[in-house]
Each structure stands twice: as structure tokens, then as C-alpha cells.
């Protein structure tokens, strides 16, 4: 069964308790988005630690998801990370740091959420979160508006679990993953037709070992575009476990939804 890549609170509790020298249990689960993180590992699903300022558009969301700064006041994330469209002041976005414990982090509350119309858990996995105040000191991440950049080698980054079923990481980590064609990803050896070719794009290694994981949902998958600038091609959506053999990550194909995303962004004030 494919699973979303949103971090569950029990996983956060496990990491927090380990840092405190305690034994975690589901009853003692810490709220998702807690700032009390343990010491980081040196790699997460085949990745390495990102440098401060390397990906300034990266956003950590308090419900246990990632996102990318689409504009100074909008964060692009996954539909499965939010409950629906409407006023929402409960989400905290953390920006501007690779270390979630850094005293220089920027935190901003949400004031509205827009979830993709018609989202029912099968494709259309994108959403926009409007921030209560704009963040003007950080670079945004442009989205792909056509399929030109939907192949090649992509970068993934986030604060998700280091291992399948693990907890959120204190430091942002990054990795590179190759494009996997729709036909290969939907083959019987991989997802057997579960992937929606129009809505989704796959990336990863047949041998496994490098992947996004729980807690990375909603984060961007990106690559170099025109003039050397980065462009977002995917949104972390789902996968069967993490970094398993013949189970690449499945991402929302941003180029397919670019017009709808731009229209929604305009309706939210940019």
C-alpha cells in the first residue's frame, strides 16, 4: 500500500524522547512541529546536509510537512498536508534556516489555505498556504510551466525521516535522484499502474537507497532550468516505504498544474 509522506506525531515523539534519554510511547507523542530535536544523522535516505542559504525557498510546516516559497506570502505544498480550502491560522511556517533550532529562523503563521479543487487522495496533490505576513528577504522557487525540465536529475531536500518510520531531522538534508519514466514507474516491478501519468512524476533509483521519506511531504523536487536558475518540477507526494528497491518516490507533476496553481495564487493575492 502506498503511503503519504507526511510525518506522524509518534515519529516526532520518538526522536524527541531519544534526545531526552527517555523511551517514547504513542501516548506521549509530541505535537508535530516541535522544536525539541535530537542530534542529526549525517545522511538521510542517501543524502547529505544542505548548506545554510543553499535553498532559501525551503519551508518547514508545523503539521509535519515541507513546502517551497512560491511568492513572498504563498507556500506551495501537498494537498494531503492540509484539511481543505478556507481560513486557517493554525499552521506555522519556519523559513530561512537549515537548522530548525537556529535562533535566526523566521516563523510566520498562516491565514488561509487553498487545496486543489477536486482533490480526493488520488492525484491533484497540491495546495497553497497563504502567510499572515510576507517574507521578503528570501528567494522564491519558480515552478515549471511546461514539461521541458521534467526529465534528467533532480534535487530533493527536507527535514523528513532518516529511515522509514523514523522522526523529523533537525537539519535539512539534500540528495539527487534521477527521473523514472511513467512506463517504468507503472511497470509490474514498481507500482503496477498506481501512478497517474498526467498528474505525477517518479524519481529515484531502482536499487533504492536514496529517497524522500515521511516528513518530506509537500516539499519541492527541483533542478537547474534556464540560465542556471532552479525550477520546481515536483511536490513530494507518496511512495511505498522509503528508499526501497524498485519503489521510487512519486511527486506531483508541477508543470501539469502550473496554470491552476498560478490562477489560485492570483486569487490569493499573489
Amino acid at each position: 500500500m502506498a503511503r503519504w509522506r507526511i510525518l506522524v506525531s509518534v515519529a516526532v515523539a520518538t526522536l524527541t524522547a531519544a534526545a531526552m534519554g527517555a523511551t517514547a510511547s504513542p501516548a506521549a507523542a509530541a505535537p508535530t512541529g516541535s522544536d525539541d530535536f535530537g542530534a542529526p544523522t549525517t545522511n538521510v535516505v542517501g543524502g547529505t546536509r544542505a548548506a545554510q542559504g543553499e535553498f532559501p525557498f525551503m519551508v518547514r510546516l508545523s503539521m509535519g510537512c515541507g513546502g517551497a516559497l512560491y511568492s513572498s506570502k504563498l507556500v506551495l505544498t501537498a494537498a494531503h498536508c492540509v484539511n481543505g480550502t478556507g481560513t486557517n491560522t493554525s499552521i506555522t511556517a519556519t523559513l530561512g534556516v537549515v537548522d530548525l533550532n537556529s535562533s535566526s529562523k523566521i516563523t510566520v503563521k498562516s491565514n488561509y489555505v487553498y487545496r486543489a479543487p477536486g482533490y480526493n487522495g488520488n492525484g491533484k496533490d497540491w495546495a497553497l498556504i497563504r502567510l499572515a505576513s510576507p517574507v521578503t528577504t528570501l528567494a522564491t522557487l519558480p515552478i515549471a510551466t511546461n514539461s521541458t525540465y521534467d526529465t534528467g536529475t533532480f534535487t530533493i531536500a527536507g527535514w523528513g525521516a532518516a529511515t522509514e518510520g523514523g522522526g523529523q531531522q533537525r537539519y535539512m538534508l539534500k540528495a539527487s535522484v534521477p527521473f523514472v519514466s511513467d512506463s517504468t514507474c507503472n511497470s509490474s516491478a514498481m507500482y503496477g499502474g498506481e501512478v497517474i501519468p498526467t498528474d505525477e512524476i517518479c524519481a529515484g533509483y531502482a536499487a533504492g537507497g536514496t529517497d524522500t521519506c515521511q516528513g518530506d511531504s509537500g516539499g519541492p523536487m527541483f533542478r537547474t532550468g534556464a540560465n542556471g536558475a532552479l525550477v520546481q518540477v515536483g511536490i513530494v507526494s507518496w511512495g511505498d516505504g522509503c528508499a526501497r528497491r524498485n519503489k521510487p518516490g512519486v511527486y506531483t507533476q508541477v508543470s501539469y498544474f502550473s496554470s491552476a496553481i498560478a490562477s489560485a495564487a492570483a486569487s490569493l493575492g499573489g
Side-chain angles (χ1 to χ4, degrees):
M1 178 66 178
R3 58 178 79 175
W4 300 118
R5 295 193 162 173
I6 187 169
L7 189 70
V8 295
S9 59
V10 173
V12 177
T14 301
L15 184 63
T16 301
M20 297 171 65
T23 300
S25 66
T32 302
S34 168
D35 282 338
D36 187 9
F37 304 113
T41 60
T42 54
N43 62 65
V44 73
V45 204
T48 57
R49 192 182 296 183
Q52 177 61 35
E54 187 173 7
F55 307 125
F57 45 78
M58 292 292 296
V59 181
R60 186 65 188 165
L61 299 168
S62 56
M63 81 287 279
C65 283
L69 201 59
Y70 175 89
S71 70
S72 63
K73 55 185 175 181
L74 294 175
V75 175
L76 181 61
T77 189
H80 75 265
C81 288
V82 299
N83 292 326
T85 296
T87 300
N88 186 321
T89 60
S90 67
I91 301 168
T92 300
T94 300
L95 312 93
V97 294
V98 296
D99 177 1
L100 293 177
N101 279 357
S102 172
S103 60
S104 62
K105 66 186 177 184
I106 300 168
T107 56
V108 187
K109 284 287 190 179
S110 62
N111 64 15
Y112 196 87
V113 168
Y114 182 99
R115 191 169 70 177
Y119 172 75
N120 62 5
N122 191 29
K124 300 183 178 70
D125 194 11
W126 65 270
L128 288 166
I129 296 172
R130 188 172 66 193
L131 304 176
S133 58
V135 177
T136 58
T137 56
L138 298 174
T140 58
L141 180 61
I143 64 172
T145 56
N146 57 60
S147 61
T148 300
Y149 303 113
D150 288 351
T151 58
T153 300
F154 309 120
T155 299
I156 49 177
W159 293 268
T163 57
E164 187 173 324
Q168 174 173 292
Q169 299 296 292
R170 171 178 169 177
Y171 292 88
M172 184 202 309
L173 291 108
K174 62 178 181 177
S176 296
V177 286
F179 168 74
V180 177
S181 70
D182 291 336
S183 58
T184 299
C185 203
N186 260 333
S187 68
S188 58
M190 290 191 175
Y191 286 114
E194 289 185 84
V195 177
I196 304 171
T198 53
D199 290 28
E200 297 170 330
I201 182 173
C202 299
Y205 296 93
T210 304
D211 197 8
T212 48
C213 199
Q214 275 67 55
D216 289 320
S217 276
M221 180 171 73
F222 48 95
R223 56 157 290 175
T224 302
N227 302 317
L230 296 177
V231 61
Q232 183 172 355
V233 298
I235 300 169
V236 179
S237 185
W238 60 276
D240 192 351
C242 303
R244 295 182 186 179
R245 181 179 179 83
N246 284 329
K247 298 296 180 182
V250 184
Y251 302 78
T252 303
Q253 193 160 350
V254 170
S255 61
Y256 183 74
F257 297 103
S258 60
S259 294
I261 292 169
S263 178
S267 74
L268 295 174

